[in-house]
């Protein structure tokens, strides 16, 4: 009976746990999708790409947002936050795994405000993973992605052209970088240099996800250093605290017990006091 109750209670606790979220930000072509796939495989997260969710909604038959989403994607502008957040939250609720990589969100002040109002109390934010990549490299990667899609006979993204890419990069710099700076002030940004090959980038990413559970303890460790450093003066003062040992002469109550003045016994305390002095 007790075992049954414990199992039932544990299920309730687990179901009430907030999802763990890591935001993944970077310019178009920075390698967010590639790295997210590796994180999913290595650490068991669920990858929620805001862009993929919007494209899926755009292509869904009968979607009330489809045409609006298509216009924004083509123009390289940002879809209204209410639509994006509702799609992200719906995807979270549909998953049994409660560790999520939210890729490409929040991308501007409106996204951030909407997330804070609607989702902050519903999730635990792990950190913001920021892939820093140059415009030149980002454009080159996206154009190559479009060429590979054409070779494979698959549909290329409508925004994988040089004109749209420049608009998207400018949008990233003007709208998304302030969000990254906002989280950086809270010490929540993990910046990774993304101009390198994917495997080299992931080597650094892997360290972040491997070390992160211990990172609160690392910051705590930094906090521990200060207390320990504060404790070191205390240990340095301990010799001063040994003054009570020097005060032991005041505690030489045994000599005050000399009133028995039994000379043989009194000599023994004196000898012991001499012994202590010798020590």
């Amino acid at each position: 009976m007790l075992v049954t109750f414990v199992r039932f209670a544990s299920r309730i606790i687990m179901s009430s746990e907030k999802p763990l979220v890591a935001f993944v930000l970077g310019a178009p072509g920075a390698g967010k999708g590639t790295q997210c796939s590796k994180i999913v495989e290595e650490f068991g997260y669920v990858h929620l790409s805001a862009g993929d969710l919007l494209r899926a909604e755009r292509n869904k038959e009968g979607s009330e947002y489809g045409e609006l989403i298509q216009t924004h994607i083509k123009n390289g502008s940002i879809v209204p936050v209410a639509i994006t957040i509702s799609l992200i939250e719906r995807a979270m609720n549909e998953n049994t795994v409660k560790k999520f990589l939210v890729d490409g969100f929040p991308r501007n002040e409106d996204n951030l405000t909407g997330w804070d109002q609607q989702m902050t109390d519903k999730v635990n934010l792990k950190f913001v993973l920021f892939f820093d990549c140059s415009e030149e490299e980002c454009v080159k990667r996206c154009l190559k992605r479009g060429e590979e899609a054409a070779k494979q006979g698959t549909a290329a993204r409508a925004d994988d052209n040089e004109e749209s890419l420049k608009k998207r990069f400018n949008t990233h710099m003007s709208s998304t970088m302030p969000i990254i700076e906002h989280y950086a002030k809270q010490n929540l940004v993990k910046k990774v240099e993304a101009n390198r090959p994917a495997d080299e980038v992931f080597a650094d990413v892997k360290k972040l996800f491997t070390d992160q559970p211990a990172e609160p303890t690392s910051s705590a460790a930094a906090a521990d250093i200060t207390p320990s450093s504060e404790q070191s003066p205390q240990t340095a003062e301990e010799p001063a605290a040994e003054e009570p040992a020097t005060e032991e002469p005041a505690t030489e109550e045994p000599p005050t017990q000399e009133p028995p003045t039994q000379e043989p016994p009194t000599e023994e305390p004196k000898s012991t006091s001499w012994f202590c002095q010798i020590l």
Side-chain angles (χ1 to χ4, degrees):
M1 207 43 200
L2 178 60
V3 173
T4 303
F5 174 76
V6 170
R7 288 176 179 171
F8 177 72
S10 65
R11 286 173 187 165
I12 293 176
I13 292 171
M14 289 178 67
S15 63
S16 63
E17 289 179 354
K18 294 180 180 179
L20 185 64
V21 169
F23 290 139
V24 183
L25 296 176
K32 300 185 297 295
T34 299
Q35 296 301 319
C36 283
S37 297
K38 292 177 178 292
I39 295 168
V40 168
E41 183 178 355
E42 185 78 17
F43 299 103
Y45 277 72
V46 175
H47 178 205
L48 299 180
S49 165
D52 288 347
L53 291 172
L54 289 168
R55 281 184 284 273
E57 185 68 19
R58 173 197 62 185
N59 296 331
K60 184 184 294 184
E61 187 176 352
S63 170
E64 59 179 312
Y65 304 122
E67 187 175 346
L68 176 63
I69 292 171
Q70 170 61 18
T71 300
H72 281 285
I73 289 177
K74 186 175 181 180
N75 293 335
S77 55
I78 295 175
V79 175
V81 63
I83 298 174
T84 307
I85 292 180
S86 64
L87 296 177
I88 292 172
E89 185 175 12
R90 184 173 69 189
M92 286 184 177
N93 292 335
E94 291 173 351
N95 274 279
T96 55
V97 176
K98 295 303 176 183
K99 299 190 300 181
F100 298 97
L101 301 170
V102 179
D103 174 4
F105 189 92
R107 294 178 59 196
N108 63 4
E109 187 67 31
D110 188 42
N111 283 181
L112 178 62
T113 300
W115 179 270
D116 286 345
Q117 292 175 349
Q118 189 170 335
M119 296 296 293
T120 293
D121 295 334
K122 299 178 183 180
V123 302
N124 289 320
L125 180 60
K126 184 182 183 72
F127 54 57
V128 178
L129 183 58
F130 168 43
F131 292 106
D132 189 20
C133 192
S134 67
E135 179 178 4
E136 181 182 359
E137 182 65 21
C138 287
V139 171
K140 182 173 71 173
R141 289 178 182 177
C142 289
L143 292 178
K144 183 178 179 181
R145 180 172 61 190
E147 292 172 0
E148 290 176 351
K151 288 178 182 178
Q152 295 173 2
T154 58
R157 285 177 50 165
D159 53 357
D160 272 354
N161 59 78
E162 194 162 355
E163 183 180 354
S164 290
L165 287 169
K166 288 182 178 179
K167 289 180 182 178
R168 291 163 63 196
F169 194 90
N170 290 336
T171 299
H172 165 76
M173 294 302 297
S174 62
S175 299
T176 308
M177 284 306 300
I179 304 307
I180 294 169
E181 292 166 4
H182 165 80
Y183 283 115
K185 292 176 183 177
Q186 303 175 43
N187 295 321
L188 285 171
V189 173
K190 307 298 179 184
K191 179 180 175 180
V192 178
E193 175 57 53
N195 282 301
R196 301 168 293 162
D199 288 342
E200 290 183 22
V201 174
F202 185 64
D204 288 346
V205 171
K206 189 174 180 179
K207 291 175 186 176
L208 292 175
F209 278 84
T210 302
D211 296 343
Q212 184 58 22
E215 193 144 316
T217 58
S218 72
S219 57
D224 288 344
I225 292 172
T226 49
S228 63
S229 61
E230 288 174 2
Q231 289 172 1
S232 59
Q234 292 176 353
T235 55
E237 290 173 3
E238 284 176 3
E242 287 176 1
E243 291 178 1
T246 60
E247 289 173 2
E248 286 179 3
T251 60
E252 287 177 357
E253 294 179 0
T256 60
Q257 291 177 353
E258 288 177 1
T261 63
Q262 294 177 354
E263 294 179 0
T266 53
E267 289 175 0
E268 289 176 3
K270 288 178 183 178
S271 62
T272 55
S273 64
W274 295 339
F275 179 73
C276 292
Q277 291 173 357
I278 294 170
L279 289 177

